[in-house]
Amino acid sequence: MKIDMQFMIRMDDITADMNWDKFNQIKDIFDCYGICPLLGVVPDNRDDKLKIFPKEERFWTVLQSLQEKGWVIAQHGTYHKYVTADSGILGLKKASEFAGLSYDEQYSKLQQGKSLLEANGIQTDIFMAPGHTYDVNTIKALFVLGFHTVTDGLYPMPYREEGILFVPCRLQGYRATKGIDTICLHSNHMSDADIRELEDFCKKNAERIVPFQPEVMGRIAIKRTLFVKCYEKRVVLIRNIKNKVANSKRLAWYMQYTDDKSSRKKWIKRILYLPILIFGREK
């Protein structure tokens, strides 16, 4: 299997009361290009932000039919309610449904979600954490409950830790990067422009978009070594810096004003205008 720019697609926040218009638009695109995404299903949605439409009574039947045609389902938390300010292992978001809770609390909550899915005819051993936040207790509880795969991780390759396979979801949009990546979609709030962008990406990259197949990813998985952990910390640090730059008017002005097609000229400008960045007034 080639590992140069291979993509998978996951859709988060799949609930009976989601925005079905957006979901069906995206479903049509995937059907057109023969793409089978990973669906993150919330077993018992208690997050008001995800309640967009009246509940679809055929929700579980629809999911079963999609699963039969090759779409893959993951358990996306249990209630999708953030109850702690813990950012977990990856450190991407200071809010979690699981990270920071005791092992027993997490086990009980995860078991409830798994039982709800199974009661509605959905079998899965794949987990998707709300907010990408989970900790060591989450991983231990998942393993005991029979989960084998988590769709998360910021390294370019799948890796294993505590008996669980982690398949990368590097949160870089549609940017082409070497290695394995999972594109993360939140269909509830995608605009028409977002959907057109997705369709254009699928049209151009259909051959590079592969199904979410843990058995295939497992063949090339590595161990989560100290190097992998440091790599992920570096990714989060860079991401946080970029977010701060994006939210700072002065930094945004500086980056835009000193930009240049020539790498040499760009860095000369950035050095020359550094005093203005540090001591100047907000632009």
Side-chain angles (χ1 to χ4, degrees):
M1 175 183 177
K2 292 181 180 180
I3 57 171
D4 182 28
M5 285 171 39
Q6 292 280 352
F7 300 97
M8 289 159 282
I9 296 179
R10 62 179 249 185
M11 295 181 69
D12 296 33
D13 306 339
I14 302 301
T15 68
D17 42 12
M18 65 183 172
N19 188 326
W20 283 93
D21 288 347
K22 300 292 185 184
F23 178 84
N24 287 323
Q25 281 182 272
I26 294 168
K27 177 183 175 297
D28 289 343
I29 293 171
F30 291 155
D31 287 344
C32 178
Y33 294 101
I35 295 168
C36 293
L38 174 70
L39 300 179
V41 178
V42 182
D44 182 8
N45 178 32
R46 299 184 186 179
D47 185 346
D48 291 338
K49 293 180 181 179
L50 303 186
K51 297 177 180 180
I52 314 294
F53 276 26
K55 284 188 176 181
E56 168 58 63
E57 297 299 327
R58 296 178 58 253
F59 178 60
W60 298 106
T61 303
V62 171
L63 291 181
Q64 289 168 20
S65 65
L66 290 173
Q67 199 171 36
E68 288 170 2
K69 68 185 288 186
W71 292 36
V72 183
I73 291 177
Q75 179 177 327
H76 188 29
T78 296
Y79 309 123
H80 206 281
K81 289 282 286 185
Y82 298 117
V83 295
T84 77
D86 197 311
S87 59
I89 290 173
L90 295 179
L92 289 168
K93 180 181 180 126
K94 291 184 178 180
S96 183
E97 182 175 4
F98 297 96
L101 298 180
S102 69
Y103 170 83
D104 289 341
E105 288 176 299
Q106 294 200 47
Y107 179 93
S108 176
K109 188 182 287 188
L110 288 165
Q111 186 181 46
Q112 289 175 43
K114 184 180 176 68
S115 297
L116 283 168
L117 290 181
E118 291 175 348
N120 287 282
I122 303 298
Q123 302 285 337
T124 183
D125 63 353
I126 303 169
F127 182 72
M128 182 189 294
H132 307 273
T133 49
Y134 51 89
D135 61 15
V136 173
N137 283 331
T138 319
I139 298 173
K140 289 179 179 178
L142 287 170
F143 181 78
V144 173
L145 285 166
F147 288 90
H148 299 114
T149 307
V150 168
T151 164
D152 248 319
L154 302 174
Y155 194 68
M157 294 286 288
Y159 59 73
R160 295 186 186 277
E161 184 172 38
E162 299 290 337
I164 299 286
L165 173 68
F166 289 80
V167 179
C169 182
R170 290 182 277 161
L171 313 175
Q172 299 186 89
Y174 299 113
R175 198 175 82 184
T177 55
K178 288 186 177 181
I180 304 294
D181 203 358
T182 306
I183 295 167
C184 184
L185 303 178
H186 294 80
S187 59
N188 276 334
H189 305 293
M190 288 177 69
S191 66
D192 290 341
D194 293 332
I195 293 175
R196 286 195 297 270
E197 183 182 19
L198 171 65
E199 184 170 18
D200 185 58
F201 175 81
C202 292
K203 182 178 180 180
K204 293 177 179 177
N205 298 278
E207 292 182 358
R208 289 196 178 104
I209 301 172
V210 299
F212 193 92
Q213 297 177 318
E215 63 276 14
V216 176
M217 295 294 106
R219 293 177 201 151
I220 57 174
I222 62 174
K223 184 178 179 180
R224 188 170 186 256
T225 60
L226 178 60
F227 175 80
V228 173
K229 294 176 183 178
C230 290
Y231 182 96
E232 292 186 313
K233 293 294 183 184
R234 174 178 168 272
V235 170
V236 175
L237 177 62
I238 293 173
R239 182 175 183 266
N240 290 339
I241 291 173
K242 286 182 177 179
N243 286 341
K244 286 185 178 180
V245 169
N247 292 325
S248 167
K249 292 181 181 179
R250 182 184 295 172
L251 282 172
W253 167 84
Y254 171 77
M255 296 300 286
Q256 183 178 6
Y257 194 78
T258 59
D259 193 26
D260 198 289
K261 292 181 180 179
S262 166
S263 179
R264 179 174 174 274
K265 289 181 179 179
K266 177 176 69 177
W267 286 109
I268 289 174
K269 284 182 179 180
R270 288 191 174 168
I271 292 170
L272 288 175
Y273 285 91
L274 194 58
I276 297 177
L277 171 64
I278 297 172
F279 303 109
R281 293 183 178 181
E282 190 86 349
K283 295 290 180 179

